[in-house]
Every structure is written in C-alpha cells, then in structure tokens.
C-alpha cells in the first residue's frame, strides 16, 4: 500500500541548550539577511551545514548536531557574540525611525498593505521567481529600515517556483521540491482557540479555505496565504502549489486568493489598511474586495465606497510590453468573479469595462493592470523611461489628454544595499567612510568619502572578491556535475575553469527572448578572440532560468551551454539554478555587469544596481535604470538611444557595439597597470560609479519616494473621504455627477493675447479666455494654457502648463487671465483647455474630462 495518511499531527524541534536559546529569536526574524553580524553567527557554527540548508536558519538549527551545540554552549566568546546579536536585533526594533521623525503621530493612523505575487527575502524562503520578487523583498527591508507602517501580503507556494537542472544537451528541466514551512522562519497564525486561522474565498461551485503564515522582515510582518489545507479538495490544495504555474484558470484562482483572500486575511488578523499597494496587476482583485468590505462596514453603496478606496490604492506596473500583462477572457472571469462582483451590486459588463483600455470595446480582453489603474489614484512605472513607455501604452484610456499627462508617474527602482553588499567591501567602507552609509544609504556625502580610499586598498578588495567568486563557481560546478553524473568531478578540470586574475563579466537574469541572452554569440569567432586574448583575456559567468513554457528562452540557454562546452570551457561558465545566493556571489565578485535587452523592453532592471556598492561597473543598453544612471565616467553604454524597427539589424548593431567596448575600452582599462599593479583608471571609475550611483539607486530612496509621493497623500485622502459619516465622499460624488452632466456644454468661446509676431526673451505676455461654463461655477474648473515649442506638424512639445485666474463675467461667459514669460527662443505656441477641478478628485486619473480650444 501507499504511505498511510496521518490522523494526528505534532511538531518536533531541536531543543537548544539554554545559553543558545536566543539563536531561535535571531533565526525567526529575517533581519539576518541584511545584518552581516547576525548572518555570520550562523555561518561560523557550521559553514557546510549552513550552506546545505540553503541559508534557512530554522532548518539549520534543527539539523546541527547535539555534540556541536554542546561545544558551542561552552564557548564563552560565542555566547558573547550571541548576546551582541540579540542587542543588535532589539536596538533595531526599538530605535526611532525616519518615518516617526518625518510624520510624527501618523503611525497610529496609517497602515500600508503591500501586495505582491512573490517575495524574494532569502534563498531559504523560495517564494520568488525573479526581479519582481527580489524587488518586493528589498521593498519590505527598506520599509523596515525607515520604519514605514507597512505589512506585506503574498502567497506561500508549497513548491516555490522551480529548481533548474540542465541535461547533458543543455536543455532546461524543471524540478519542483516540496517545502516544509515548519522548518522555515514562519509562524502559523492561530485564533483564540489555538487553531489555525482560516479565511475563505468563494469559487464558482465551492469555497476554498486558506491558512495564514507570518514572516517577520525586520519590523515588517509579511502575511502569506496557503491553500494546502485538508478542508479543500485536492485540486484546490494545489492552488498555492507553484509560482506562475498552471494555465489561465490556475492564474485567476491564485490571483483571487492573493487579492480577495489577502484582504480577508488582513481583516482576520485585525489590520484595516488605509493604503493598499498593488505591486503588479496580480493583486488587482483586492480593489473589489476592499470595496465590498467598505460597503459592509459603512453601510454605503458601491459608488460611494469606490470613491473612497480609489484614493487609498497605489498601483505599480513593472511590465513594458502589452503581452506581459495578465488578461482573462470574459467567460472565465464571470465564472470565477461573478459572486464577488454581484456582492458589490455591480453588473458584470460594468465590471469588465473597468479592465479595458477602451471600455466600450467589447472585443477587448480584460486586463488586470487596467483594473488596478482604474481603481488607484496613484500609478507609477519603475523607471523614467518605463513610465514614458507605460503612458504610451495606456494613452488611449485618456484620449483627451497629451501622452505626457497620462497619469503614470515614475519611481525608479533601487536595491536594498545591505542585502547585496559583500562583507569585505562593507568593512572597507566602514574604515574610510564611517558607518552612516549603512544607516542611510542614500546619503551622498557618506559615499563621497569613497574618494579617500587608497587605490591599493580598494583594488585589493576587488581582487579578493573576484577570487571568492571563482571559488564559489568551482564549488557550485562540482555540485552540479556530481548531481548530473553521480560521479565526483575531476579536480583538474574544475581548477582550470576561470582564473581569479582575469577580467570577469557577469550576466544573470531571466532568459526571456527580449533580454537577448545570446547576443554575445552573434560573432562567435570574434568572441573567442576576445575571451582568449593573450594579454587581455576576459571570462564570463552566466546564470538564469527560462519560464517553463518559454521554449525560446530554453533554446537560448541551450545555445550558450553548447558553445561553452564546445569552444569556451575555461572562459565561460553557466551556473545552474540561479537564485539569490548565486546572485549575491555574482554581484559581489564580478568586475563588470552586462545587460543587453532590446530597448525599451527592460522596465527597470536592478541586477546592475547591485554591483555598484560592491565596486562593479556596468556595461548595458540604455534601458531601464541605466538610461538614467549612465554617463561615460561611471560605465559603458551599448549602442545609443536610437531604436531600429528591424530587430535582427538592431541585434547586429548592438553586438558590434558590445564587442568594440570589450576589446577597445573595457579590457584595455582593466589591464592598464603602470604602478604597483593597480589599474588606476579602472579604480577611479569604480569610485565615481559608487559615489554617483550607490546613493541614488537604493530602496531607501525608493521607499521614501513612495511614502512622500503616494503613501502619505493616499492615506490622508482616504481618511478624509472616509470620515464624518462619508459626508465628503458623498459631496464629491454629487459634484462629480453635476460636472459630468454639464460638461458637454462647456466651451472656450474666445482667446486673446498681447503677443507680437516677434517677442524678445523675458517679455511677459497676457492671455485672456472667455469660457462658457454651461452652468458650472468657475471654482469647478481649471482653465490652462499649454505653452511649448511648435513642431513640424503644428504639435506643441515640451509643454508647460500655466493656470488662468478668474477675473469676472461678461454676460454668461467667465473671463479668465494668465501671464506667461517668453523664456525660450524659437517658434513657440500655446493652446487653451478646460479641465475639472476639485481637491478631492484626481484629474485625469479619476475624471478624464477635458475641453480644448
């Protein structure tokens, strides 16, 4: 027979000796992932076992031998280290934070719930797939450092994403291990009866039950939903089985658990968020559940509830191409979401229109990103270029407004510096820059002290880091070979792979086709000459996974592996099973980080940011963050900002640029050493890169920006509209109905100005507009002049908006005036428009009405 099912369950743990008990406290908070001293205490206990546990401290403590624990308990120096780490944890959790200083008293009135389908906190909690999850993990860590009153909400995947294995032919195969959550730094939330807390989500013909786990990320609780409970049917137990696994039907199930279940989980643990941040569209169903809860709690209708909650929602999109959004066909959407939609009194066709760029286009699929945008007053892309691309994609949703005014802002991504920082470089910075860069990584003054580091000292650390990376790669290769062949790897072959003295380039990412993982193979003979140059050799370390259903990405990996095996065995390495551990090793040890996507398809990219504080340099396409960060003094740009429509020709051009940089700029600078064996030019560029880029591209700056631009204004707007028995919300709805009813009558009757045909710089021009308001009051509208340069097709570019001031009436016309100053030479022009104005309404996000001259 098969193994019997259990009837009764209990937990068994390794009982630590009394003096070692604080290790459980240290293991239970993910602060150790960015606090070097705490992480080091686990490593020194048993380095081999620590690595074997995938850096999971709970599993590690349960595996360590009784004999080893007994010896450690008698080690007074080790006990002192434990006490020091406990003090670090306690001080961190209790000290005053930036948020408390910047917004005194707001903590008790504000809670931000941050929803994401994946979180990359540590390789020991494998519920992430790639950049989105790692960014979400870094977001929580920075929110903890800054003291933001934030909680995370996600799913707890029983088998995570997948572990990558390559067969002998280089083809990716997926392995899905099952994880034991009781052997992780997680707590199962229980109710007053000490039973697991359960929440329910209605599906078409059944109810799915989920339990809730909590991980502590510094000060931030992360709540994770798990459907693998016996109350559910076997198929439903597997909803939270794999990340991004299954078909369209599985996706909608997971996204209902995340959005609807996530909101119910927060309510069940007593959290009432004032702001909900949807990090990508996967969580967009939360808006319907949040409206439902608000309607019940406040006894109001759908429109009133929605008017309030849109002010309290934030949406961040990471997707630069239309094909990247989650879309659902109407019949599937109606089947699964029908009950939820009905519960808020919304017709299905009205709901579907909330997820279409063109609400009236019944042939358009339902887009989760549009649903999120439609129910959030604060929307952003993750770099300046990505925000521009997003505005272009979604401009048809706001047909009356210029593309630049589509309500999508930019908050460029960053990295959590201490998570990705190597110990050697951190110690060097402590010595010459003080410790403030740790506490406040966006403080530019701290990073400017990098210039005080002697070139020899910085170069020595860079050399040590590269050596450690080579040792890591060889050890990892040995493990992979032994797993594949079941035989011990040949030490002679392993020791010939890579050279710790050679210029080392890192390339690691998800192998989507637009990221062009095989661009370096465009001219293989030229690449081999670059790799094996007799005086200036180069070596490349590659890692990354392809989506299980992306055969195009798998073929790129196979192509690379075949080239390596046939022609570049000692100069290029492909590391299997890319994860956060591999990522840390690479960004802490490479000399150059390579990134070559097709512009503008990289929304932001954060891997290149991670090499910066570790002394690595970037060589990248001018896309995502590098489009903002690049100048020739801090790194290299592949190609320029031009985009050729012929992708094959663009690839050829970019490959030629890459080869040129490697041959003629990067390797000559690295190997040019005329004094004490130190490449002075290289070290100076490293210093300039750290000073310019490290304080800018950090999640400390990023989360502050979210807080100042979105979280606090959103919380205030939500609280205002929800106060005083919803009187403000109802007043806004009445105003909105009145404006929409009258808007078709609004027109600009006459515009006059004092401009001459030719005007000297600095001259002030007066503009007067006569506007028929169709029964509206002048306070209901904002009349504006858009002033800018006139292009060849009479379009106005580089517009500046100048508001008009109401000065009186002329019969039934409102008279308004504005003054503009001639600040720019050339052919200038303006046009006048009217838009609604209300301090409680976001225009054009909520109300996209406009009348043009």
């Amino acid at each position: 027979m098969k193994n019997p099912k259990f009837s009764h369950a209990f937990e068994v743990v390794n009982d630590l000796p009394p003096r070692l008990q604080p290790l459980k406290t240290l293991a239970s908070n993910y602060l150790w992932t960015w606090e070097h001293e705490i992480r080091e205490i686990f490593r020194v206990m048993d380095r081999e076992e620590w690595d074997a546990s995938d850096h999971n401290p709970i599993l590690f403590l349960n595996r360590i031998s009784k004999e080893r624990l007994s010896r450690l308990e008698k080690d007074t120096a080790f006990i002192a280290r434990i006490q020091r780490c406990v003090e670090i944890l306690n001080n961190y959790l209790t000290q005053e934070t930036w948020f408390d200083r910047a917004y005194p008293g707001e903590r008790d009135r504000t809670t931000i719930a941050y929803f994401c389908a994946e979180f990359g906190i540590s390789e020991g909690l494998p519920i992430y797939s790639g950049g989105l999850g790692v960014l979400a993990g870094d977001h929580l860590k920075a929110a903890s450092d800054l003291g933001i009153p934030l909680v995370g909400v996600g799913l707890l995947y029983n088998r995570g994403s997948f572990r990558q294995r390559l067969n002998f032919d280089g083809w990716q195969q997926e392995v899905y291990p099952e994880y034991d959550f009781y052997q992780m730094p997680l707590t199962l939330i229980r109710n007053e009866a000490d039973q697991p807390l359960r929440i329910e989500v209605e599906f078409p013909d059944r109810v799915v039950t989920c339990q809730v786990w909590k991980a502590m990320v510094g000060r931030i609780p992360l709540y994770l939903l798990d459907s693998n409970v016996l109350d559910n049917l076997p198929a439903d137990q597997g909803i939270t089985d794999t990340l991004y696994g299954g078909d369209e039907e599985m996706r909608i199930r997971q996204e209902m658990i995340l959005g609807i279940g996530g909101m119910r989980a927060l309510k069940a643990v007593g959290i009432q968020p004032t702001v909900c941040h949807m990090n990508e569209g996967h969580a967009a169903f939360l808006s319907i559940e949040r409206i439902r809860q608000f309607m019940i709690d406040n006894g109001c209708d759908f429109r009133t509830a929605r008017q309030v909650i849109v002010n309290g929602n934030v949406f961040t999109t990471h997707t630069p191409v239309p094909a990247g959004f989650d879309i659902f066909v109407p019949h599937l959407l109606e089947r699964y979401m029908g009950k939820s939609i009905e519960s808020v009194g919304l017709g299905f066709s009205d709901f579907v229109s909330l997820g279409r760029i063109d609400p009236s286009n019944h042939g358009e699929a339902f887009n989760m990103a549009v649903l999120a945008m439609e129910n959030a007053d604060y929307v952003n892309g993750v770099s300046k270029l990505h925000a521009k691309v997003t505005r272009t994609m979604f401009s048809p949703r706001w047909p009356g407004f210029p593309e630049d005014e589509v309500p999508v802002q930019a908050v460029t991504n960053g990295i959590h510096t201490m998570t990705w920082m190597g110990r050697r470089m951190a110690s060097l910075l402590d010595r010459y820059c003080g410790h403030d860069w740790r506490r406040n990584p966006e403080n530019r003054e701290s990073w400017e002290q990098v210039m005080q580091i002697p070139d020899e000292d910085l170069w020595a650390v860079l050399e040590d880091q590269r050596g450690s990376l080579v040792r890591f790669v060889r050890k990892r290769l040995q493990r992979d070979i032994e797993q594949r062949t079941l035989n011990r790897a040949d030490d002679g072959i392993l020791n010939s792979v890579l050279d710790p003295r050679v210029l080392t380039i890192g390339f690691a990412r998800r192998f989507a086709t637009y990221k062009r993982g095989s661009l370096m193979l465009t001219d293989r003979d030229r690449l081999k000459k670059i790799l094996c140059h007799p005086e200036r050799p180069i070596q490349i370390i590659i890692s990354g996974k392809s989506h299980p259903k992306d055969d195009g990405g798998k073929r790129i990996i196979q192509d690379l592996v075949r080239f390596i095996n046939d022609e570049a065995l000692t100069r290029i390495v492909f590391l299997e099973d890319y994860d956060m551990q591999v990522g840390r090793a690479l960004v802490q040890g490479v000399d150059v980080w390579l990134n070559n996507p097709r512009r503008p398809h990289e929304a932001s990219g954060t891997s290149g940011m991670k090499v910066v504080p570790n002394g690595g340099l970037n060589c990248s396409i001018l896309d995502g963050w590098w489009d903002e960060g690049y100048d020739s003094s801090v790194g290299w740009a592949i190609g320029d900002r031009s985009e050729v429509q012929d992708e094959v020709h663009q690839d050829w051009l970019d490959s030629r640029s890459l080869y040129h940089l490697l041959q003629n700029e990067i390797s000559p600078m690295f190997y040019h050493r005329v004094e004490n064996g130190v490449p002075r030019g290289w070290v100076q560029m490293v210093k300039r890169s750290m000073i310019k880029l490290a304080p800018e591209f950090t999640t400390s700056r990023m989360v502050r920006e979210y807080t100042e631009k979105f979280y606090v204004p959103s919380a205030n707007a939500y609280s205002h509209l929800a106060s005083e028995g919803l009187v403000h919300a109802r007043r806004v709805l009445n105003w909105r109905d009145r404006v929409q009813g009258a808007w078709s009558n609004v027109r600009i009757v006459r515009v006059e100005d004092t401009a001459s045909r030719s005007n000297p710089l600095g001259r002030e021009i007066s503009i007067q507009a006569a506007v028929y308001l169709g029964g509206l009051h002048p306070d209901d509208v904002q009349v504006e002049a858009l002033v800018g340069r006139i292009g060849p097709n009479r379009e106005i570019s580089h517009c500046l908006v100048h508001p008009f001031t109401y000065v009186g009436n002329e019969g039934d016309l409102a008279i308004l005036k504005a003054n503009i100053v001639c600040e720019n030479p050339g052919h200038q022009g303006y046009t006048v428009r009217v838009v609604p104005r209300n301090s409680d309404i976001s225009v054009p996000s909520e109300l996209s009405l406009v009348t043009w001259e």
Side-chain angles (χ1 to χ4, degrees):
M1 64 175 286
K2 293 183 178 180
N3 291 337
K5 305 289 187 182
F6 72 84
S7 299
H8 310 279
F10 52 87
E11 189 176 353
V12 178
V13 298
N14 194 354
D15 192 19
L16 297 178
R19 299 179 76 193
L20 301 183
Q21 284 291 327
L23 289 170
K24 288 187 176 180
T25 302
L26 297 174
S28 298
N29 192 308
Y30 280 96
L31 181 65
W32 62 264
T33 62
W34 72 94
E35 178 52 64
H36 288 164
E37 196 165 343
I38 301 177
R39 184 165 64 224
E40 186 67 9
I41 205 167
F42 296 117
R43 194 178 72 88
V44 299
M45 290 174 70
D46 189 327
R47 182 167 185 169
E48 292 297 322
E49 194 62 61
W50 176 240
D51 289 339
S53 71
D54 281 334
H55 303 157
N56 173 353
I58 299 296
L59 179 62
F60 168 72
L61 291 177
N62 284 336
R63 281 182 174 179
I64 199 163
S65 70
K66 293 284 188 183
E67 294 75 18
R68 179 60 177 155
L69 291 174
S70 179
R71 289 196 300 272
L72 288 170
E73 188 186 25
K74 298 179 178 67
D75 185 339
T76 56
F78 183 74
I79 299 301
R81 290 183 70 170
I82 291 178
Q83 295 305 318
R84 166 65 183 152
C85 288
V86 170
E87 288 178 12
I88 290 172
L89 174 62
N90 291 337
N91 289 339
Y92 178 88
L93 295 177
T94 57
Q95 66 191 5
E96 187 185 38
T97 67
W98 169 80
F99 185 85
D100 294 320
R101 293 189 296 271
Y103 300 100
E106 284 297 316
R107 180 173 301 281
D108 295 335
R109 298 192 293 268
T110 303
T111 301
I112 299 103
Y114 181 87
F115 287 71
C116 191
E118 52 174 304
F119 285 90
I121 309 296
S122 160
E123 60 271 20
L125 182 61
I127 57 170
Y128 63 95
S129 171
L132 176 68
V134 172
L135 183 281
D138 281 10
H139 191 112
L140 296 193
K141 293 172 184 178
S144 174
D145 291 341
L146 295 169
I148 311 299
L150 182 144
V151 300
V153 181
L155 301 181
L156 188 58
Y157 302 98
N158 189 44
R159 299 197 296 166
S161 176
F162 65 89
R163 307 301 294 265
Q164 181 193 54
R165 299 286 182 264
L166 301 182
N167 66 16
F168 287 97
D169 196 35
W171 189 257
Q172 173 182 292
Q173 297 173 314
E174 295 85 31
V175 178
Y176 292 91
E178 290 194 17
Y179 297 105
D180 182 356
F181 302 144
Y182 291 95
Q183 295 265 45
M184 294 180 179
L186 300 170
T187 302
L188 181 62
I189 303 295
R190 296 181 178 274
N191 58 24
E192 293 178 355
D194 201 34
Q195 295 299 311
L197 182 71
R198 302 291 172 87
I199 60 99
E200 295 180 342
V201 177
E202 295 83 10
F203 276 17
D205 53 358
R206 62 200 185 279
V207 172
V208 173
T209 300
C210 293
Q211 56 191 4
V212 185
W213 300 74
K214 181 172 75 171
M216 287 306 301
V217 185
R219 299 179 176 90
I220 305 298
L222 168 60
Y223 295 98
L224 300 167
L225 280 74
D226 164 26
S227 70
N228 188 19
V229 296
L230 293 178
D231 305 44
N232 293 328
L233 297 172
D236 292 333
Q237 291 174 23
I239 292 174
T240 57
D241 203 16
T242 58
L243 173 59
Y244 304 138
D247 55 11
E248 186 178 6
E249 193 163 0
M250 180 58 77
R251 282 210 321 278
I252 198 170
R253 291 173 182 172
Q254 288 188 338
E255 294 180 9
M256 288 177 67
I257 297 293
L258 176 61
I260 297 173
M263 285 298 302
R264 293 180 182 178
L266 291 178
K267 191 174 185 69
V269 298
I271 294 175
Q272 184 74 40
T274 47
V275 177
C276 287
H277 185 169
M278 296 169 277
N279 194 43
E280 258 308 346
H282 309 112
F285 289 142
L286 75 80
S287 58
I288 297 301
E289 175 61 17
R290 193 176 185 195
I291 289 171
R292 188 191 70 83
Q293 291 184 13
F294 192 91
M295 290 170 63
I296 293 172
D297 292 344
N298 294 274
C300 65
D301 63 353
F302 173 84
R303 287 188 72 226
T304 306
R306 182 169 177 268
Q307 183 61 56
V308 177
I309 72 101
V310 295
N311 284 271
N313 285 347
V314 177
F315 171 54
T316 298
T317 172
H318 298 253
T319 307
V321 290
F325 296 111
D326 268 353
I327 59 174
F328 295 114
V329 294
H331 72 85
L332 185 67
L333 193 69
E334 185 170 21
R335 181 174 170 228
Y336 275 92
M337 284 294 293
K339 291 182 180 178
S340 294
I341 297 164
E342 185 180 344
S343 71
V344 297
L346 188 63
F348 179 71
S349 60
D350 293 329
F351 173 72
V352 174
S353 70
L354 294 175
R356 288 174 170 152
I357 293 178
D358 180 357
S360 62
N361 180 4
H362 298 291
E364 184 183 332
F366 182 91
N367 187 320
M368 291 291 282
V370 176
L371 177 66
M373 281 186 176
E374 190 67 15
N375 288 287
D377 270 356
Y378 303 87
V379 179
N380 73 283
V382 290
S383 69
K384 292 176 182 176
L385 179 58
H386 176 235
K388 181 178 183 297
V389 169
T390 304
R391 286 192 289 269
T392 300
M393 279 195 292
F394 290 100
S395 60
R397 184 73 178 173
W398 289 271
F401 286 82
E403 196 171 281
D404 286 348
E405 293 189 341
V406 170
V408 178
Q409 301 183 58
V411 177
T412 302
N413 282 346
I415 61 152
H416 187 258
T417 306
M418 289 308 302
T419 293
W420 301 100
M421 191 74 160
R423 285 181 297 138
R424 292 184 184 89
M425 186 62 74
S427 296
L428 184 69
L429 291 180
D430 287 343
R431 197 183 327 152
Y432 290 99
C433 306
H435 289 79
D436 187 62
W437 68 272
R438 291 176 179 261
R439 295 184 295 269
N440 186 13
E442 60 182 300
N443 182 2
R444 195 168 297 276
E445 292 182 2
S446 295
W447 291 97
E448 286 173 352
Q449 301 305 309
V450 165
M451 275 298 177
Q452 307 305 317
I453 301 175
D455 290 354
E456 289 79 5
D457 289 5
L458 180 54
W459 180 243
V461 169
L462 297 177
E463 294 261 69
D464 285 346
Q465 291 182 156
R466 191 185 321 109
S468 293
L469 173 60
V470 170
R471 289 190 294 275
F472 173 86
V473 170
R474 289 173 178 172
K475 185 175 181 180
R476 190 93 174 190
L477 283 176
Q478 180 181 21
R479 187 203 69 176
D480 294 345
I481 292 170
E482 291 174 359
Q483 282 182 341
R484 197 178 302 126
T485 66
L486 301 181
N487 294 312
R488 178 168 174 77
D490 186 295
D491 289 339
I493 294 175
L494 285 175
N495 290 334
S496 69
V497 173
L498 304 183
D499 184 330
R501 299 161 297 181
V502 167
L503 170 61
T504 304
I505 295 176
F507 180 91
R509 57 202 14 92
R510 180 169 56 89
F511 271 81
T513 50
Y514 78 86
K515 293 179 182 283
R516 300 189 297 183
S518 58
L519 185 72
M520 65 182 74
L521 302 185
T522 305
D523 186 337
R524 300 183 182 211
D525 289 336
R526 188 171 179 184
L527 176 61
K528 284 189 289 184
K529 289 178 181 178
I530 293 171
L531 294 171
C532 301
H533 191 284
E535 297 174 354
R536 300 191 299 273
I538 290 176
Q539 58 195 14
I540 306 174
I541 304 173
I542 304 170
S543 192
K545 300 176 179 179
S546 173
H547 189 281
K549 295 181 180 179
D550 183 4
D551 284 351
K554 291 182 180 181
R555 278 191 289 272
I556 293 174
I557 293 174
Q558 185 180 50
D559 202 20
L560 284 164
V561 172
R562 286 176 171 176
F563 174 77
I564 293 167
N565 291 338
D566 294 343
E567 305 182 62
L569 195 57
T570 62
R571 281 287 177 256
I572 305 182
V573 171
F574 189 98
L575 288 182
E576 293 182 25
D577 204 26
Y578 184 43
D579 64 2
M580 289 182 70
Q581 181 184 13
V582 173
R584 275 198 312 276
L586 288 175
V587 300
Q588 291 173 11
V590 299
D591 300 295
V592 176
W593 194 260
L594 176 63
N595 188 26
N596 45 233
R598 283 196 186 94
R599 189 180 194 268
H601 291 167
E602 187 80 279
S604 174
T606 57
S607 55
M609 300 176 188
K610 298 179 178 87
V611 302
V612 170
N614 288 294
L617 298 172
N618 278 273
C619 175
S620 176
I621 296 290
L622 291 170
D623 199 6
W625 80 280
W626 194 234
D627 189 61
E628 300 172 38
Y630 167 75
D631 72 52
S632 59
S633 70
V634 299
W636 297 274
I638 302 170
D640 53 27
R641 291 182 172 88
S642 61
E643 298 165 27
V644 178
Q645 293 302 310
D646 184 342
E647 290 186 349
V648 174
H649 186 53
Q650 183 71 67
D651 292 351
W652 184 86
L653 290 173
D654 290 340
S655 70
R656 291 302 174 273
S657 175
L658 173 59
Y659 295 142
H660 171 81
L661 290 172
L662 293 175
Q663 280 182 305
N664 301 309
E665 296 189 30
I666 296 175
S667 59
M669 180 183 288
F670 181 85
Y671 287 106
H672 182 66
R673 305 173 191 183
V674 295
E675 184 184 352
N676 298 331
V678 177
R680 302 289 175 180
W682 186 274
V683 172
Q684 288 302 306
M685 181 177 274
V686 166
K687 290 181 177 180
R688 291 192 297 270
S689 170
M690 295 174 78
I691 291 169
K692 178 177 188 281
L693 304 177
E696 177 64 20
F697 296 99
T698 168
T699 44
S700 178
R701 183 271 312 156
M702 180 191 83
V703 173
R704 272 190 219 246
E705 208 169 324
Y706 275 115
T707 302
E708 293 166 348
K709 292 171 65 172
F710 298 158
Y711 293 162
V712 171
S714 178
N716 290 338
Y718 173 87
S719 299
H720 170 66
L721 290 180
S723 67
E724 299 181 42
L726 302 179
V727 63
H728 304 292
R730 293 191 173 97
R731 185 183 300 133
V732 166
L733 282 175
N734 291 335
W735 175 88
R736 185 174 185 149
D737 290 341
R738 181 167 57 83
V739 169
Q740 285 178 313
W743 198 259
S744 61
N745 298 318
V746 174
R747 64 184 185 275
I748 299 169
V749 176
R750 184 177 68 250
V751 175
E752 301 169 327
D753 62 56
T754 60
S756 302
R757 180 169 297 176
S758 178
N759 301 276
L761 277 173
R763 180 184 177 186
E764 186 173 83
I765 295 171
S766 177
I767 307 173
Q768 179 174 290
V771 181
Y772 180 69
L773 295 178
L776 297 178
H777 190 274
D779 289 342
D780 295 327
V781 301
Q782 178 71 62
V783 180
E784 299 168 334
L786 274 68
V787 184
R789 186 184 308 146
I790 297 178
N793 296 316
R794 298 185 63 202
E795 76 280 2
I796 301 176
S797 62
H798 302 89
C799 290
L800 294 175
V801 178
H802 295 265
F804 280 68
T805 301
Y806 172 71
V807 295
N809 276 67
E810 184 182 289
D812 57 0
L813 300 180
I815 307 301
L816 304 101
K817 288 187 177 180
N819 295 318
I820 62 174
V821 177
C822 298
E823 295 179 335
N824 300 301
H827 195 195
Q828 303 284 308
Y830 72 90
T831 188
V832 176
R833 70 179 179 190
V834 186
V835 294
R837 178 177 60 184
N838 188 303
S839 60
D840 291 328
I841 286 280
S842 177
V843 177
S845 179
E846 285 186 68
L847 194 59
S848 58
L849 300 175
V850 61
T851 294
W852 291 92
E853 179 185 354

